[in-house]
Amino acid sequence: MVEILAESKTFAPARRDQRERVYKLFKSSDRFYRTLTFASTVAILVMLGSVLVSLVIGSIPTFRTFGLDFLITETWNPVTDKYGALAPIYGTLLTSFFAMLLALPVGIGIAVFLSELCPQPLRRPVGIAIELLAGIPSIIYGLWGLFILAPFLQQHVQPALIATFAPVPILSTLFAGPPYGIGLLTAALILAIMILPFITSISRDVFETVPAVLKEAAYGIGCTHWEVITKVIIPYTRTGIAGGAMLALGRALGETMAVTFVIGNAHRISGSLLAPATTISASIANEFTEAVGDLYTSALISLGLILFVITFFVLALARLLLMRAEGK
Amino acid sequence: MTLYAARRRRNNVWIGLCYAATAFGLCSLCLILFALLFEGASGLSLEVFTQMTPSPGSAGGLLNAIVGSLILTFLGVLIGTPLGVLAGTYMAEYGRGTKFTLVVRFLNDILLSAPSIVIGLFIYQVVVAPMGHFSGFAGVLALALLVIPIVTRTTEDMLLLVPRPLTEAATALGMPRSYVITKVTYRAARAGLLTGVLLATARISGETAPLLFTALNNQFFSTNLNGPVASLPAIIFQFALSPYKDWQRLAWSGALLITFSVLALSIFARVLGTRKTAK
C-alpha cells in the first residue's frame, strides 16, 4: 500500500500531464466535430439560398426586357426574341389541378382500404405495391405514357369523349378538337398516377393517429364503415390530409420528364383538354439545350424561378399543415 | 327498415369504390411493369451490355450509358452522403429541439421535394456556364445536391431513434460527445443510415431532368468527367423521342434495366429499414 502511494506520488505530475493532454484532445476533437456538423447544416441553408439567388440573377435580363408583362403574355417566339410565360404557367396549373382532381379521391380511397378494410395479411404487400409506384423513375412514366397510354387514349377513350360531350354546351369546348392522344388530359392522368402514392401514404399515416376509442364508439352506436370514415376519421385527420394533398400538388407542379413526353409542347393556350400544351418544366427540359442567345436562356431560367417560387409556397404550406397534424 | 337498407346500400357503394380505387392503383403498377417486361425484354441481349450506343439503323448496346450512369450515381452519392450525415448529426445531437434545427428541418424538407429540374438550372448557372461546356462533373454535383436532403432527413430520424440510455452510458464513461456520436450512436443506427443512402441512390439513379443540361449526353464511351458523359436516363429520353424503331427498342431495354434496379434498391432499403425499427 505504502509502495503504491509512493509510486503514485512520484508519477503524479507526469500522469496529470497525460490526463491534461487527453482531456485537451477530447475537448478539441469535440469542438471540431461540432463545428463540422454545424457547418454542414448551414451548408443546406446556403444551398437553398444560392439556388434562389442564382435563379434571380439568371432571370434579370428577362424582367428587364419584358417587365412583369412576361408573366401575362402568351407569345413565345425564339425567332423574334419575344417571350411570355403565360402558356407554360397555365399548362402547369391546369395539369396539376386535373391530376389532383383524379388522384385525391382515389388516393384517399386506397388509404381507407389499407387502414380499415384490407385483411391483415394483405395489408403489407398491397401497401408496398402502392408505394412502389412512387419509386418508378419519372422518365419511365413518360415512356409508358407516350407508347402505351397515349395511343390507347387516342383510339379508344378520346373519340368517345368527344362524341359524348359534343352536344353539351360547356363540356363540348373542353373536349374539342381531334384526338391526338398526347395533350393536357394525358399528362394529367399520368401525373395523377405518379402522385397517388404520396397522397395514400400520408393519408394512411394520419388515419393511424385516430384514437381507436373514437372509432369503437362510433361502431358501438351502430355506424356503418362509411359513416365511421366520413363522420369520424376524415374530420379528425382533415389537416393531415390537406398537408398530404399539398405535398402531392408540389410534386405535380414540378414534375418534368413524364409530362415532357406526353404534353405535346405547344406554347399556346387552348380551351380544350385534348389539345397539346406545355408546362414550365417541360419547356425548360425541351428547349434549354437548344436555347441560343442570352435572352432565350434567361427566359427559360425565369420560368424556373417562377416554378421554384410556386412550389416553394405550396410545399411550405404542406409542411406547416403536416406539422400541425403531427402536433395533435 | 328502409333507412337501414339505404344506409347499408350507401355503405356498400362507397366501400366498393374504395376497392375500385385500390384496384386502379395496383392495375397501374402492373400495366407499367408488364409493358416494361414485354417491350424491354425482347431487346435485351448480350450486346446491350457490351456495345456502345449505335447510330440509327446499326446494331449496338447501352454500355457507355450504363457505365456513365454508374459513375454519375456513385460519385453523386459519395459526395452527397457525408454532408447529409453530418448535417443530420448536428440536428439530432447538438441542436436537438432548438429553433435553428426546426427551421433547417423545414427548409430541408422543402429542398427534398423541390423540382429536380430547378437544381439542374442552378448547377447550369454556377458550374456549366462559367466553365463554358457541359460536363460529367456538373452532373455529379447536381445529383449530389439531390442526395443531401434525403440523407439529412433519414440520418436525423434514425439518430433520434437510438435509445438514450445507450448514449448516456457512453457519456457516463467519460467519453466526449464526438466519441459518443461516432463510436456509439452511428454504430447503433448503422442500418438506418444505410437505408437513407440506398433510398437516395434509388432516387438519383432514375433522375433525368437535372442531367439534361449538366452532364448532357454522349454517344461515345467516355469516363472523362470534364466532358459530357452518357447516362441511361438521358439516352432513354433521346432514343424514345426519336423516330427510329431500333433506338426506341434500346430505350425500352434501358428503361427495364433502370426500373428494376431502382425497385430492387428501394425494396432492399425498406426491408432494412423496417427490420431496424421493429427491433
Side-chain angles (χ1 to χ4, degrees):
Chain A
M1 196 64 188
V2 180
E3 265 177 49
I4 296 172
L5 269 179
E7 216 175 55
S8 79
K9 248 181 208 148
T10 13
F11 283 107
R15 283 184 63 175
R16 208 169 46 229
D17 274 4
Q18 201 184 359
R19 263 183 65 158
E20 211 115 279
R21 248 201 336 271
V22 171
Y23 183 64
K24 251 189 203 147
L25 178 77
F26 276 6
K27 219 173 158 180
S28 64
S29 89
D30 200 24
R31 194 177 306 137
F32 170 73
Y33 204 68
R34 196 193 165 105
T35 320
L36 189 68
T37 52
F38 183 70
S40 317
T41 317
V42 172
I44 290 179
L45 299 181
V46 172
M47 238 162 68
L48 194 70
S50 43
V51 170
L52 190 64
V53 168
S54 88
L55 290 179
V56 168
I57 291 175
S59 54
I60 286 175
T62 318
F63 285 101
R64 193 170 282 161
T65 317
F66 304 112
L68 286 177
D69 283 350
F70 179 70
L71 297 176
I72 48 165
T73 36
E74 197 192 324
T75 358
W76 186 271
N77 194 339
V79 182
T80 55
D81 248 3
K82 290 266 180 296
Y83 304 102
L86 195 60
I89 292 177
Y90 168 85
T92 305
L93 296 181
L94 210 66
T95 45
S96 304
F97 173 75
F98 279 102
M100 290 302 289
L101 207 64
L102 288 166
L104 201 56
V106 177
I108 294 177
I110 298 177
V112 166
F113 173 82
L114 283 174
S115 59
E116 303 296 319
L117 310 170
C118 187
Q120 202 66 44
L122 279 180
R123 244 168 233 207
R124 252 179 77 79
V126 175
I128 287 178
I130 296 295
E131 277 174 37
L132 281 186
L133 275 177
I136 297 175
S138 92
I139 189 157
I140 308 300
Y141 280 100
L143 198 65
W144 179 72
L146 181 64
F147 288 112
I148 312 278
L149 187 65
F152 175 78
L153 290 178
Q154 183 181 20
Q155 282 157 22
H156 302 288
V157 180
Q158 293 185 350
L161 280 176
I162 296 169
T164 319
F165 292 118
V168 191
I170 299 167
L171 291 175
S172 63
T173 49
L174 272 183
F175 297 101
Y180 289 114
I182 54 177
L184 270 177
L185 192 69
T186 315
L189 192 56
I190 288 195
L191 277 181
I193 298 174
M194 294 182 71
I195 60 178
L196 204 58
F198 294 102
I199 298 176
T200 299
S201 79
I202 289 176
S203 306
R204 203 176 145 196
D205 286 350
V206 291
F207 284 173
E208 264 159 31
T209 63
V210 180
V213 211
L214 285 186
K215 288 192 271 181
E216 283 157 13
Y219 283 121
I221 57 168
C223 285
T224 59
H225 265 316
W226 184 246
E227 282 158 354
V228 174
I229 291 158
T230 48
K231 305 254 159 62
V232 179
I233 298 179
I234 290 183
Y236 190 88
T237 53
R238 222 168 6 200
T239 334
I241 294 176
M246 297 305 279
L247 191 65
L249 178 62
R251 296 265 173 177
L253 289 168
E255 185 44 59
T256 311
M257 298 322 294
V259 178
T260 307
F261 272 91
V262 295
I263 188 95
N265 303 303
H267 275 278
R268 60 160 193 270
I269 296 174
S270 160
S272 171
L273 291 179
L274 305 182
T278 190
T279 67
I280 293 178
S281 48
S283 304
I284 302 173
N286 262 311
E287 298 172 38
F288 201 83
T289 41
E290 286 151 25
V292 281
D294 292 339
L295 198 58
Y296 196 0
T297 311
S298 170
L300 288 168
I301 292 175
S302 313
L303 283 183
L305 178 66
I306 296 168
L307 177 67
F308 190 52
V309 171
I310 298 176
T311 50
F312 187 92
F313 282 112
V314 170
L315 292 171
L317 186 61
R319 292 298 168 185
L320 281 177
L321 288 170
L322 286 174
M323 266 155 81
R324 243 179 50 197
E326 272 168 28
K328 190 152 68 172
Chain B
M1 232 22 211
T2 46
L3 179 65
Y4 175 67
R7 281 175 57 210
R8 245 180 71 155
R9 201 173 323 120
R10 182 178 305 154
N11 181 54
N12 288 344
V13 168
W14 287 105
I15 294 303
L17 284 178
C18 285
Y19 277 90
T22 312
F24 174 80
L26 294 178
C27 279
S28 318
L29 181 71
C30 291
L31 281 175
I32 292 171
L33 294 183
F34 279 139
L36 273 173
L37 278 175
F38 184 74
E39 302 271 348
S42 62
L44 216 55
S45 60
L46 199 62
E47 279 110 64
V48 171
F49 299 98
T50 53
Q51 289 184 15
M52 305 298 140
T53 45
S55 46
S58 53
L62 294 166
L63 179 65
N64 50 344
I66 294 172
V67 173
S69 261
L70 287 177
I71 293 174
L72 291 179
T73 308
F74 177 72
L75 289 180
V77 171
L78 197 70
I79 294 175
T81 303
L83 208 70
V85 169
L86 287 173
T89 307
Y90 182 85
M91 284 152 72
E93 296 288 335
Y94 292 109
R96 184 179 289 204
T98 57
K99 271 240 168 66
F100 176 72
T101 299
L102 221 76
V103 171
V104 176
R105 185 188 305 145
F106 187 74
L107 293 176
N108 186 62
D109 279 350
I110 289 178
L111 208 56
L112 186 71
S113 17
S116 56
I117 193 159
V118 170
I119 303 291
L121 280 180
F122 167 62
I123 294 293
Y124 178 86
Q125 287 269 86
V126 293
V127 181
V128 179
M131 278 170 74
H133 57 89
F134 299 103
S135 66
F137 182 61
V140 167
L141 279 184
L143 293 181
L145 281 192
L146 293 172
V147 168
I148 292 168
I150 306 175
V151 175
T152 302
R153 182 68 212 236
T154 43
T155 303
E156 196 203 352
D157 287 350
M158 293 305 164
L159 293 188
L160 288 176
L161 282 180
V162 174
R164 296 302 285 162
L166 200 65
T167 53
E168 277 160 12
T171 313
L173 287 176
M175 274 182 157
R177 197 71 181 272
S178 56
Y179 278 51
V180 176
I181 294 169
T182 48
K183 301 255 186 313
V184 179
T185 318
Y186 280 168
R187 288 198 187 174
R190 201 166 32 194
L193 299 185
L194 193 59
T195 307
V197 176
L198 286 176
L199 283 178
T201 313
R203 163 89 194 272
I204 64 166
S205 43
E207 274 295 347
T208 321
L211 292 179
L212 289 179
F213 29 84
T214 51
L216 198 66
N217 202 348
N218 198 336
Q219 289 294 87
F220 305 102
F221 190 84
S222 168
T223 50
N224 176 14
L225 285 183
N226 202 22
V229 174
S231 61
L232 269 178
I235 290 278
I236 294 173
F237 183 56
Q238 186 197 348
F239 280 17
L241 289 175
S242 76
Y244 313 109
K245 275 275 172 287
D246 45 347
W247 272 19
Q248 290 176 4
R249 197 160 47 244
L250 270 178
W252 276 107
S253 302
L256 180 72
L257 288 179
I258 227 168
T259 310
F260 282 92
S261 33
V262 166
L263 290 186
L265 268 175
S266 50
I267 290 175
F268 185 53
R270 200 177 306 272
V271 169
L272 207 65
T274 48
R275 211 174 48 204
K276 185 66 205 165
T277 42
K279 220 189 266 176

